[in-house]
Amino acid sequence: MARSVHSLLWFAGTLIAAGLIITAGAVFTVERLAEAVAAAPVKSDPRPSYVASLPTAAATDLDIAKFVAVTPVTAAAATATAPEPPTLTHEVVVKSLWVRAGPNKRSAKVVALERGARLSVSRVEGNWSLVSGPNGGRGWVYSDYIRPAGTSY
């Protein structure tokens, strides 16, 4: 019995000594950290060291109509130059379809289209189709995800 009590006391003493060493190390570390923070230079004014000042201008100086001749366009001339909207011959058959900047999967995504969106196909390269939307926007879509409008699979 005395041997087990002796072992238990030895273990407890070792445990307490280890705890004191760890605590002393942590206190030392915190003190050194506090000294380093206190010694670090701190900029008291967080504003930038440069100052940019813009000249002031009166509102009348900014009236562009004084400097640029403006000629009204008649309604007939405006409609004569308007491009004809594309004939929308195909539609999207998946829930969401990315239109991309180029004919490959690594090209940048331009816009996502929902199922049923109408498109016009102007060119096909491999499995990719160059499409145009009703607003004139263009991009590439994977051909398996569109079909001719009015057909069902």
Side-chain angles (χ1 to χ4, degrees), residues 82-92 99 111-122 130-139 141 146 149:
E84 187 175 314
T87 305
L88 305 175
T89 59
H90 288 71
E91 65 183 350
V92 176
V99 177
V111 68
L113 300 175
E114 294 179 347
R115 176 179 287 142
R118 296 293 189 118
L119 307 166
S120 174
V121 175
S122 57
L130 179 61
V131 297
S132 303
N135 63 353
R138 295 172 55 123
V141 298
I146 61 174

Side-chain angles (χ1 to χ4, degrees), residues 38-96:
V42 176
K43 189 174 180 181
S44 60
D45 187 6
R47 292 180 292 171
S49 58
Y50 59 87
V51 177
S53 60
L54 299 174
T56 56
T60 55
D61 296 338
L62 301 176
D63 187 6
I64 195 166
K66 291 181 180 179
F67 308 107
V68 177
V70 178
T71 56
V73 177
T74 63
T79 57
T81 60
E84 187 175 314
T87 305
L88 305 175
T89 59
H90 288 71
E91 65 183 350
V92 176
V93 295
V94 291
K95 184 176 180 180
S96 179

